[in-house]
Amino acid sequence: MTASASTLLRTAAELAGYAPEGERSGRAVVMTMGALHEGHASLIQTARAVIGPAGQVVVTVFVNPLQFGEAADLDRYPRTLDADLAVAGAAGADVVFAPSVDEVYPGGEPQVRISAGPMGERLEGASRPGHFDGMLTVVAKLLHLTRPDIALFGQKDAQQLALIRRMVRDLNFPVEILGVETAREPDGLALSSRNRFLDVYERHTALALSRALFAARDRLAAQQALHARAQTTGATEGRAAGLTRLGEARLAADAQAVARARPDGGPAAVRAAARAVLDEAAADHPPLALDYLALVDPADFTEIPDDRTAGDAILAVAARVGATRLIDNIPLTFGATA
């Protein structure tokens, strides 16, 4: 199989017969709903690098009806299989497995499904009830059908990735789950199949999502850098007060900022930095309609309290611009030193 071609398979029987277990050195799978873009290509390229030239890369293309709350959203989702084949092949996929709904759900919608549990009811789960149950159900089925050694998912869907990891661990799936960094446009917008629905003005407004996340990241980095200076210079409130008495207002302000800097940057400060950008975008034309901004623990997606001083976090945002709903997130680490 060359890097510029991939085989299209439509049934589980075809996939099972394509590469018998003893004839390959490993299989990596990238699950998609089609409408492939450079973000998907990055996942496929990573899959090829991880599994090696002798391994097999399978890309699944399946628009899962169980993940859609409204029929209109399901009907609106783009189907671009011919283009998907080209993107997958160019990125290094051997196989594109694109089954029909009847192939995945013979006899209609499944009566037995996987429950996402409490984590699946938060954030995206609250906005889209039942979404994660449907997602986990189809991921479980596709893991059984494709039998991969490694499955790769994008960090952009951070809650989805966390739930898949939890399902694999809790239900003893024999597969390694690998998260891949979010792919972005040069201006920072996270790549998404939904971006094609944005007109030029909506796309400008949508940039507020990534700008808000980057503003929060920069606020955290600045606070941690100031704290590192305080540790080195021994800056204190007393020094700031002394500089004020000497009339050195600028130096006093700097000394005070250093003295008050916390090693974690403060969860409240991080949230405030992001929200300032989002509030400004809410007054844009067209406006950004915020669904949620949440700073959460990556283990269970519960909100991180303002007194958290150390540990990993995910800052996640969801908003609607026009008729298009977008999500984005960024990982953060509190308590790090510059």
Side-chain angles (χ1 to χ4, degrees):
M1 185 63 59
T2 68
S4 60
S6 55
T7 297
L8 175 63
L9 302 177
R10 290 288 199 171
T11 70
E14 289 174 342
L15 182 61
Y18 180 80
E21 191 68 29
E23 296 182 12
R24 59 182 173 86
S25 62
R27 175 181 282 179
V29 66
V30 175
M31 297 184 189
T32 82
M33 292 204 298
L36 302 189
H37 50 65
E38 285 302 313
H40 296 110
S42 177
L43 282 169
I44 297 166
Q45 291 161 358
T46 303
R48 171 55 65 199
V50 169
I51 207 65
Q56 188 183 96
V57 175
V58 176
V59 175
T60 68
V61 174
F62 180 66
V63 182
N64 179 30
L66 300 189
Q67 291 176 230
F68 289 82
E70 298 180 6
D73 289 338
L74 176 61
D75 293 340
R76 187 174 181 237
Y77 197 87
R79 275 81 164 174
T80 58
L81 184 57
D82 288 342
D84 294 344
L85 285 167
V87 172
D94 298 291
V95 174
V96 171
F97 178 50
S100 66
V101 173
D102 289 339
E103 180 72 17
V104 177
Y105 301 121
E109 291 192 3
Q111 297 299 303
V112 176
R113 308 187 188 194
I114 291 179
S115 170
M119 187 177 10
E121 298 172 356
R122 300 174 185 132
L123 300 187
E124 284 300 292
S127 297
R128 305 164 68 187
H131 167 75
F132 285 126
D133 291 356
M135 179 276 295
L136 290 178
T137 298
V138 80
V139 168
K141 288 179 73 74
L142 289 173
L143 286 174
H144 287 312
L145 292 171
T146 59
R147 295 176 292 114
D149 302 286
I150 302 171
L152 296 90
F153 298 88
Q155 293 279 3
K156 186 176 82 71
D157 297 298
Q159 192 173 4
Q160 169 180 284
L161 175 59
L163 282 163
I164 291 170
R165 282 178 166 151
R166 187 65 189 240
M167 176 185 74
V168 164
R169 185 179 70 190
D170 287 353
L171 302 183
N172 299 103
F173 278 73
V175 62
E176 178 185 352
I177 303 299
L178 181 63
V180 179
E181 185 177 353
T182 301
R184 298 184 180 277
E185 297 280 4
D187 58 9
L189 184 68
L191 290 173
S192 170
S193 300
R194 297 178 184 271
N195 290 351
R196 68 185 64 197
F197 299 131
L198 300 170
D199 65 29
V200 63
Y201 303 106
E202 291 170 340
R203 192 185 183 286
H204 176 78
T205 297
L207 285 172
L209 273 72
S210 57
R211 287 195 294 107
L213 297 177
F214 298 157
R217 178 194 61 191
D218 293 346
R219 172 69 65 85
L220 177 60
Q223 287 294 304
Q224 291 176 161
L226 286 172
H227 179 74
R229 280 180 57 193
Q231 297 294 96
T232 302
T233 64
T236 65
E237 295 274 4
R239 179 173 182 272
L243 287 167
T244 298
R245 288 192 295 272
L246 292 171
E248 298 289 349
R250 182 175 297 179
L251 291 175
D254 180 70
Q256 188 174 66
V258 172
R260 292 181 177 179
R262 295 176 54 181
D264 57 358
V270 165
R271 290 185 180 96
R275 186 166 289 279
V277 176
L278 298 170
D279 287 347
E280 182 178 343
D284 210 340
H285 300 284
L288 181 141
L290 183 65
D291 186 347
Y292 62 76
L293 173 70
L295 184 66
V296 297
D297 189 321
D300 57 11
F301 274 68
T302 55
E303 282 279 352
I304 285 177
D306 286 346
D307 60 358
R308 171 73 64 87
T309 59
D312 293 332
I314 290 175
L315 184 63
V317 62
R320 191 173 293 275
V321 182
T324 304
R325 187 175 184 276
L326 300 170
I327 64 172
D328 202 352
N329 70 84
I330 195 169
L332 300 171
T333 300
F334 289 87
T337 57

